[in-house]
């Protein structure tokens, strides 16, 4: 997914392609906003256009309101939230007195139409604009009549029969109701700041605190009191409890924000820190003696730990991508429905199927209302299909599951338990064959690796040889890549890396993403205590010409995107020779169409080299923006040639490979 472009000079806007536009402050990017934004992206796709969000800075209420408006999102937070949704362009309009005085007619004609030339305009049900907020969607329809511009109004979105608005979220936070705010925001409300020196009273009481100076003075601070919180420092999450208030027991007068981080002793003065509010514990209270305060803090800590432990179960969604797989859905969905806990969202995303998939899913949903169906307008392939579908999924953890996978009782529990490790980014279960249940299955087995030339293999599968499962690979261990057939991944990290590379269409996209994640210093593990059975070749049979083409082409693309320049100078010629040897093998086997597939793969690879060079630069920017220092030699790359080991030395079992097993 391309990186969202941010434009702050409205006098130098690009020529947007068939622009689908929407306008608003989008403070908080809450669930109501997300309804508008998803419709925006859907319309842009239908028109082969670009999605354009127009927002304002500072917030219009700073000019139009009687009192300053505390904001839910800083501009950088808003940019991050919109980019994660997959918006193409964000235009940040400087909101000043002159802009505020525009008439509603001038706003439409001189601003929206003249500067953006929209193909479609999507607005919320209560959108008002122009001086005195006199403009509405009826005026917009009147002034665009006959201009071939589609006007779409989104009705009020409701949660639990309560209309969602930024104002309702602000009011909830000002009352300390951070759980309601999280429901509307689809993520914990957070504040960021710099750690400054305090007066060490907390240390004297046995509860040292980090005092926080908020980055943006306009950012809304929740109600005074004590909260259970998560604390992000240098990319790592810690548990803690936070106090907001003037410290009445110490006769304080100024509001302070101070957090006690559990089991943490590092000095972090002048470092950036992010606080995520999980739940409210109590209001402030003036104690007669410091010992009374100390005893209360002990109780607060116990309560906070209990809250954080119970909330430690991240929201999770199983997402099954389907394309013309009615038979697979009929065969494998019963096991998913029977063995997936009800607190995990269950979603089937249809990738533009032309068979009876949608009809079957709608019938199944009548019997099992928990199923959510996402209908994509066309087949985007595995990579693009998941990118498009996951834009519509709000969950902390995605479990990507092929439509031809049979799951077993309790299959999610070991995976989600493993993901409680904040340093673990991706994991997978043990993948066995649904045809030969005692054998590992080709697509992932018990965890993936690559050799130094980029050729993939697995614990339990080397090239086309699938081992018998005797429990020999049942230990949890760090791997290089996890299979896309049953991949568990943190949603934030998925979008940090802009999703799968949609140009891959299918095959190797999960290895490509895992390589980037490993370069960023995160862990990927195999969790064999969770077992699933995979049919394999569900939408594209193994060793077909198209599959061979995609595997060879995408593997080369992956290599160029992720390996170092110094290595590529000699690895690419070496790959040319080895891929030629593969073609010779196919010649010996009289599989002439597969030889042509390898040739096509190389021609396509060389043709997209400029694009790959741009992607290398984009990946470097992403890696530089993440908290961990990029790693050039991540764990899980076999330092020898798997081709030589397999074909020359006859090593067809993972356990026979030195330096790995």
């Amino acid at each position: 997914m391309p990186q969202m472009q941010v434009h702050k000079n409205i006098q130098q806007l690009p020529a947007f392609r068939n622009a689908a536009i929407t306008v608003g402050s989008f403070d908080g990017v809450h669930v109501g906003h997300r309804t508008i934004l998803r419709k925006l992206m859907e319309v842009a796709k239908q028109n082969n256009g670009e999605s354009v969000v127009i927002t304002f800075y500072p917030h219009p209420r700073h000019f139009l309101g009687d009192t300053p408006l505390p904001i839910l999102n800083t501009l950088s937070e808003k940019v991050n939230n919109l980019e994660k949704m997959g918006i193409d362009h964000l235009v940040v309009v400087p909101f000043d007195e002159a802009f505020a005085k525009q008439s509603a007619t001038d706003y439409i004609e001189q601003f929206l139409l003249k500067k953006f030339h929209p193909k479609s305009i999507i607005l919320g049900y209560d959108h008002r604009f122009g001086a005195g907020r006199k403009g509405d969607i009826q005026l917009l329809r009147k002034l665009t009549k006959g201009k071939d511009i589609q006007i779409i109004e989104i009705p009020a979105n409701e949660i639990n029969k309560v209309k969602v608005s930024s104002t309702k979220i602000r009011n909830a936070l000002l009352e300390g109701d951070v759980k309601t705010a999280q429901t509307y925001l689809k993520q914990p409300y957070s504040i960021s700041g710099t750690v400054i020196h305090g007066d060490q009273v907390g240390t004297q009481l046995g509860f040292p605190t980090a005092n926080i100076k908020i980055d943006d003075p306009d950012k809304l601070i929740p109600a005074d009191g004590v909260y259970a919180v998560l604390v992000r420092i240098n990319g790592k999450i810690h548990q803690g409890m936070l106090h907001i208030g003037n410290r009445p027991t110490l006769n304080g007068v100024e509001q302070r924000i101070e957090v006690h981080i559990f089991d943490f002793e590092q000095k972090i003065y002048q470092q950036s820190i992010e606080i995520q509010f999980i739940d409210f514990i109590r209001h402030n209270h003036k104690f007669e003696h410091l010992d009374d305060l100390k005893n209360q803090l002990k109780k607060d800590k116990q309560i906070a730990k209990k809250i954080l432990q119970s909330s430690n179960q991240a929201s999770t969604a199983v997402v099954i991508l389907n394309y013309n797989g009615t038979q697979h859905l009929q065969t494998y969905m019963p096991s998913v429905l029977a063995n997936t806990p009800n607190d995990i969202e269950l979603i089937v995303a249809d990738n533009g199927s032309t068979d009876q998939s949608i009809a079957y899913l709608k019938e199944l949903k009548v019997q099992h209302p928990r199923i959510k169906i996402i209908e994509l307008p066309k087949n985007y392939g595995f990579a693009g299909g998941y990118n498009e579908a996951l834009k519509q999924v709000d969950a902390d953890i995605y479990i990507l599951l092929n439509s031809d996978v049979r799951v077993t009782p309790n299959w999610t529990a070991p995976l989600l338990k493993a993901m409680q490790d904040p340093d673990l980014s991706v994991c997978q279960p043990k993948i066995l064959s649904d045809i030969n249940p005692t054998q590992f299955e080709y697509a992932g087995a018990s965890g993936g690796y690559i050799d130094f030339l980029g050729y993939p293999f697995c614990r339990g599968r080397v090239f086309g040889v699938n081992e018998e499962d005797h429990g020999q690979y049942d230990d949890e261990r760090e791997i290089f890549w996890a299979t896309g057939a049953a991949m568990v991944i943190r949603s934030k990290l998925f979008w940090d890396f802009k999703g799968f590379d949609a140009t891959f269409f299918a095959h190797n996209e999960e290895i490509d993403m895992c390589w980037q994640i490993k370069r960023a210093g995160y862990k990927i593990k195999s969790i064999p205590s969770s077992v699933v059975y995979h049919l394999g070749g569900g939408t594209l049979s193994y060793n077909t010409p198209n599959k061979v083409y995609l595997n060879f082409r995408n593997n080369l693309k992956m290599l160029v995107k992720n390996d170092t320049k110094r290595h590529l100078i000699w690895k690419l010629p070496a790959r040319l020779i080895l891929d030629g040897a593969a073609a010779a093998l196919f010649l010996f086997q009289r599989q002439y169409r597969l030889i042509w597939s390898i040739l096509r793969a190389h021609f396509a690879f060389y043709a997209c080299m400029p694009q790959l060079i741009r992607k290398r630069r984009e990946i470097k920017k992403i890696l530089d923006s993440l908290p961990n220092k990029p790693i050039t030699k991540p764990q899980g790359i076999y330092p020898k040639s798997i081709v030589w080991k397999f074909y020359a030395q006859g090593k067809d079992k993972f356990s026979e490979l030195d330096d790995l097993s």
Side-chain angles (χ1 to χ4, degrees), residues 415-432:
L415 300 170
L416 296 179
K417 182 179 180 181
M419 292 298 282
Q420 291 178 8
D421 176 0
D423 293 329
L424 183 62
S425 60
V426 179
C427 68
Q428 69 155 77
K430 178 165 68 175
I431 315 285
L432 298 178

Side-chain angles (χ1 to χ4, degrees), residues 471-644:
Q472 68 271 41
Y473 305 127
D474 276 358
D475 57 308
E476 290 188 11
R477 71 150 67 178
E478 192 167 350
I479 55 178
F480 187 79
W481 59 269
T483 175
M487 171 184 274
V488 185
I489 183 168
R490 297 190 189 280
S491 60
K492 182 181 185 305
L493 207 57
F494 184 87
W495 293 116
D496 279 344
F497 285 99
K498 317 305 177 190
F500 291 126
D501 186 338
T503 66
F504 279 43
F505 190 79
H507 303 300
N508 283 270
E509 63 285 306
E510 74 268 46
I511 308 178
D512 173 57
M513 172 168 277
C514 287
W515 197 339
Q516 295 171 46
I517 289 171
K518 295 285 282 190
R519 290 172 64 191
Y522 295 101
K523 294 190 298 187
I524 301 173
K525 292 182 75 173
S526 170
I527 312 297
S529 52
S530 172
V531 180
V532 302
Y533 295 85
H534 183 213
L535 175 64
T539 55
L540 196 59
S541 299
Y542 294 132
N543 245 24
T544 60
N546 198 34
K547 194 176 188 99
V548 170
Y549 163 74
L550 290 171
N551 272 324
F552 275 80
R553 184 200 67 174
N554 292 349
N555 190 264
L556 289 167
K557 290 174 68 172
M558 175 186 73
L559 197 66
V560 170
K561 286 176 63 179
N562 292 289
D563 215 337
T564 63
K565 292 179 182 178
R566 180 168 56 89
H567 288 162
L568 290 174
I569 290 172
W570 62 269
K571 283 186 181 181
L572 289 178
R575 284 296 305 269
L576 181 62
I577 294 169
L578 287 171
D579 288 0
L585 177 63
F586 289 142
L587 178 64
F588 177 76
Q589 296 171 345
R590 297 184 179 182
Q591 299 192 61
Y592 305 117
R593 294 174 66 196
L594 301 188
I595 298 172
W596 175 237
S597 294
I598 294 177
L599 289 172
R600 282 180 56 221
H602 275 262
F603 291 145
F605 164 67
Y606 300 132
C608 69
M609 190 63 74
Q611 178 193 70
L612 295 173
I613 292 171
R614 288 195 299 272
K615 287 183 180 291
R616 281 178 64 91
R617 297 193 189 109
E618 291 174 5
I619 293 168
K620 184 180 184 305
K621 288 181 181 178
I622 294 170
L623 293 172
D624 289 342
S625 71
L626 295 173
N628 299 332
K629 184 178 179 180
I631 296 172
T632 55
K633 294 182 179 180
Q635 184 177 342
I637 297 180
Y638 185 46
K640 300 179 181 179
S641 170
I642 191 65
V643 176
W644 178 260

Side-chain angles (χ1 to χ4, degrees), residues 368-435:
H368 302 278
R370 65 178 295 201
I371 299 174
K372 177 182 176 182
I373 304 170
I374 296 175
E375 296 184 48
L376 300 177
K378 65 178 184 180
N379 181 11
Y380 293 97
F382 181 94
Y386 264 122
N387 288 350
E388 295 302 317
L390 293 176
K391 291 175 186 176
Q392 304 182 45
V393 178
D394 288 310
D396 299 315
I397 292 174
Y398 301 145
I399 302 180
L400 312 185
L401 190 69
N402 274 17
S403 60
D404 58 346
V405 170
R406 190 187 311 277
V407 302
T408 57
N410 205 39
W411 72 287
T412 60
L415 300 170
L416 296 179
K417 182 179 180 181
M419 292 298 282
Q420 291 178 8
D421 176 0
D423 293 329
L424 183 62
S425 60
V426 179
C427 68
Q428 69 155 77
K430 178 165 68 175
I431 315 285
L432 298 178
S433 169
D434 197 47
I435 298 174

Side-chain angles (χ1 to χ4, degrees), residues 304-319:
K305 284 190 170 184
K306 186 175 181 179
I307 290 170
L308 294 169
Q309 183 177 5
S310 64
S311 68
N312 201 31
Q313 179 69 46
S315 61
T316 304
V318 171
V319 185

